[in-house]
Amino acid sequence: SSGINAEWPLRPGTPDKLGYAGKVREIEFGTTKDRMMVIEDCKNTRAVTLFLRGSNTMIVQEAKRSIWDAMCVIRNLVRDNRIVYGGGSNEISCAIAVSAAADKVPSIEQYAMRAFADALESVPMALAENSGLAPFATLAEVKSRQIKEDNPRLGIDCMDAGENDMKVQHVIETLIGKKQQIMLATQLVRMILKIDDVRSPGEGE
C-alpha cells in the first residue's frame, strides 16, 4: 500500500523505488508494554490490518473465527451477489417444492425425494430447538403459513422479534454458500449409502 517496489538483488534505493507513508510510528499497548509499528496515510491504501485483543487466547481465537466467517461471506457475495432469505425459510420452501414434485413421480423414487424433503426440514427444526422453541410445532406452523400465504420468506423467528418474514428481519444468506452446503451434505449421504456395512467401535469383541 505504500508503493514500494521490490528489487533483487538488494541495492541502494532510489526515489522511484521507495514508497510513501504519511506517518510511521510505534505504539505500546497492554500491561506487558508490547510494541507495534504502525504505517498510516499511504498513497495506495488497499490493505487493512485488523488488530484483535482479548483477555485470553480463547476470546481472541473466537474473534478471529468470526471475522474469517464474515470475510468468507463477503467473498461469496463478490463471486455471486445473489442471496436467499435465512432463518430456515429457504429450506422450508425447498422442502415444499420437493414434496410437491414427489407427488408427480409414480415410481419408487418418490420415497427418496420425500426423504430429501424431510432432511431439508432438519435445518429449521434445529434453529427452532436452539432458540428454545418447540421444534415440531414451530416448523409445522411456519410451513403451513408458507403454503397458505404463498410466502417463501417465512422462517423461524430465532430473535423472538414477533415477525417470521426474514425480509423484514433482514436475515439473508448467500446463494452460493447455501448451494454448497446442500451439495456437500448430499454427497456425504450418497457416500455413506454406498457402504454395505457399518461397524461400531467395540462391535464383535
Side-chain angles (χ1 to χ4, degrees):
S1 60
S2 61
I4 297 177
N5 294 320
E7 189 173 285
W8 186 261
L10 294 177
R11 62 188 64 174
T14 57
D16 61 315
K17 301 294 184 181
L18 299 178
Y20 172 85
K23 296 180 182 178
V24 178
R25 58 193 178 95
E26 186 180 64
I27 61 174
E28 291 185 354
F29 51 88
T31 56
T32 56
K33 300 296 182 182
D34 295 326
R35 296 183 177 183
M36 182 176 66
M37 185 72 70
V38 179
I39 303 175
E40 300 175 328
D41 299 334
C42 299
K43 288 185 176 180
N44 187 25
T45 305
R46 300 183 63 184
V48 176
T49 300
L50 299 178
F51 180 50
L52 302 178
R53 295 182 62 194
S55 57
N56 54 56
T57 305
M58 183 182 69
I59 293 178
V60 174
Q61 292 298 327
E62 186 65 27
K64 288 175 62 177
R65 283 191 292 269
S66 299
I67 292 175
W68 176 258
D69 291 341
M71 292 174 64
C72 288
V73 172
I74 300 300
R75 177 203 61 192
N76 289 341
L77 284 174
V78 171
R79 292 179 177 176
D80 187 347
N81 61 2
R82 291 176 295 176
I83 61 171
V84 294
Y85 292 103
S89 60
N90 56 82
E91 285 87 355
I92 296 175
S93 60
C94 287
I96 294 173
V98 173
S99 297
D103 295 336
K104 302 176 183 178
V105 178
S107 64
I108 197 174
E109 293 180 357
Q110 64 176 288
Y111 294 102
M113 298 175 67
R114 297 187 194 280
F116 190 86
D118 292 340
L120 287 171
E121 292 179 353
S122 63
V123 175
M125 284 188 63
L127 288 174
E129 187 174 5
N130 292 338
S131 301
L133 305 173
F136 292 99
T138 304
L139 174 61
E141 178 187 359
V142 176
K143 186 176 180 180
S144 63
R145 285 187 59 191
Q146 274 207 20
I147 297 174
K148 183 179 179 180
E149 302 176 18
D150 192 22
N151 185 359
R153 302 188 303 268
L154 297 178
I156 307 300
D157 183 15
C158 300
M159 304 300 293
D160 196 21
E163 177 61 63
N164 291 99
D165 195 325
M166 296 296 106
K167 183 178 182 179
V168 176
Q169 289 205 36
H170 305 291
V171 180
I172 60 175
E173 298 181 69
T174 58
L175 176 61
I176 186 174
K178 181 58 63 177
K179 288 171 60 178
Q180 188 175 24
Q181 292 169 19
I182 296 177
M183 288 177 60
L184 289 176
T186 305
Q187 291 173 4
L188 176 62
V189 173
R190 291 180 61 185
M191 181 181 67
I192 295 176
L193 291 176
K194 291 180 180 179
I195 301 175
D196 294 331
D197 189 18
V198 177
R199 297 183 61 87
S200 303
E203 184 179 348
E205 294 181 357

